[in-house]
Amino acid sequence: ICASSNKLCLRSRKSERERPSSEAVSCLLQLGRMFLLAKAMPVAAHDEAVDVLKVGMLLISYIVVSSCLIRFNKFLMHEDRFPYSLALTALHMFVSLVLCGVFYVLSPASFPGIANVQGQRAVVLRWFTPIALTFAVSLYASNQAYLYCSVAFLQFMKEANVIITFGLSLLAGLQVLTRVRAAVVMWVVAGSTMAVSGDLHFVWLGFFFQLMSQFAECARAVLGESVLSSNRIKFDPLSYTLFVAPACLCVLLFGLILTW
């Protein structure tokens, strides 16, 4: 039923207008319910509920910021505005590097992973070179796809990221295949296939750009998980970003020079 509704949304021109995310609204309602229940809990259960509430707020913040970024990129990636996906991606990564660097200067204690990799430059370079390459390809191809396809269609395609990431995790030995997981994967495949069919403005080139972006993004996620969970390298998310941003920016600048 959800997949059929999604297909109808794709057929409507109103899908391109900005509207509140149903997922965000649902999360807000759920968090409000959890907040009310937390007041009547014992101290231990109350602390656990507060932690869950904090995680929920972080998730909602991520959804809101991600939605704004997607809409803004779609707005810029127009023939009459700034249809240069490689340059746009490089600017994004430059800003990320500057902000992360300023935060590191103001609060070095928030980057404990920096001290953990002292004397391990060869290991760090070996890991972050493929991560930077896949991240750069993912960002470039994702922005390039906005020139050809609608935001709604591309977002429905991203539902397949769960399957791609799970498959790559199986190959990397990070996940184990079970019957329940296999059933969930098949269910997601069926729903995603129904959702992305029937687009009024389907363009094969945009489809392939988005597919390339998804495979690169999922490969980056699997490599990142391997780095963050490695016994030889202890990274926190901020330190990970501080290392990835300059490496990814170098890859993007190299591609920008070749295509200038």
Side-chain angles (χ1 to χ4, degrees):
I1 295 174
C2 292
S4 300
S5 300
N6 290 339
K7 187 189 296 186
L8 292 175
C9 290
L10 283 172
R11 292 180 179 276
S12 174
R13 294 182 179 179
K14 294 182 180 180
S15 63
E16 286 299 313
R17 299 177 182 175
E18 295 188 16
R19 57 171 68 90
S21 173
S22 58
E23 291 86 356
V25 173
S26 177
C27 289
L28 284 173
L29 294 175
Q30 186 67 18
L31 287 174
R33 180 173 175 270
M34 290 171 57
F35 179 77
L36 294 176
L37 291 176
K39 292 185 176 181
M41 292 180 177
V43 177
H46 179 270
D47 293 340
E48 183 178 354
V50 170
D51 292 338
V52 173
L53 190 62
K54 290 180 180 179
V55 173
M57 292 301 296
L58 289 175
L59 290 175
I60 291 179
S61 300
Y62 176 80
I63 292 173
V64 173
V65 173
S66 178
S67 300
C68 293
L69 179 62
I70 290 171
R71 286 292 179 179
F72 186 64
N73 284 347
K74 175 63 176 178
F75 173 78
L76 290 178
M77 288 298 298
H78 191 275
E79 294 181 357
D80 298 329
R81 298 188 185 96
F82 194 79
Y84 309 107
S85 57
L86 197 57
L88 178 62
T89 306
L91 289 173
H92 284 175
M93 195 52 56
F94 175 75
V95 173
S96 297
L97 175 59
V98 171
L99 293 178
C100 203
V102 171
F103 189 31
Y104 176 70
V105 172
L106 297 177
S107 179
S110 300
F111 298 77
I114 301 296
N116 294 334
V117 296
Q118 295 293 336
Q120 303 185 62
R121 294 182 179 179
V123 178
V124 172
L125 182 63
R126 186 184 68 183
W127 276 107
F128 280 95
T129 298
I131 290 177
L133 181 60
T134 53
F135 197 19
V137 172
S138 170
L139 294 175
Y140 161 73
S142 177
N143 286 331
Q144 187 69 21
Y146 289 134
L147 282 175
Y148 308 100
C149 301
S150 65
V151 172
F153 177 77
L154 297 178
Q155 290 302 110
F156 289 137
M157 279 193 65
K158 289 181 181 180
E159 297 297 325
N161 281 7
V162 178
I163 306 165
I164 300 173
T165 302
F166 182 67
L168 294 177
S169 297
L170 288 176
L171 295 176
L174 298 175
Q175 295 288 343
V176 178
L177 183 63
T178 63
R179 292 183 179 180
V180 175
R181 291 177 179 176
V184 171
V185 167
M186 295 304 298
W187 182 266
V188 174
V189 169
S192 300
T193 303
M194 295 174 63
V196 300
S197 62
D199 185 26
L200 292 177
H201 306 286
F202 179 81
V203 179
W204 277 107
L205 187 58
F207 173 81
F208 285 121
F209 268 118
Q210 181 59 30
L211 195 63
M212 179 173 62
S213 170
Q214 290 179 223
F215 271 98
E217 171 63 21
C218 294
R220 183 199 65 82
V222 173
L223 289 172
E225 182 182 354
S226 300
V227 171
L228 292 176
S229 61
S230 175
N231 293 326
R232 290 183 295 176
I233 305 178
K234 296 296 182 182
F235 265 111
D236 58 281
L238 286 176
S239 300
Y240 173 82
T241 304
L242 188 60
F243 272 93
V244 168
C248 184
L249 180 60
C250 290
V251 175
L252 292 170
L253 290 178
F254 180 74
L256 193 60
I257 293 172
L258 292 179
T259 57
W260 187 259

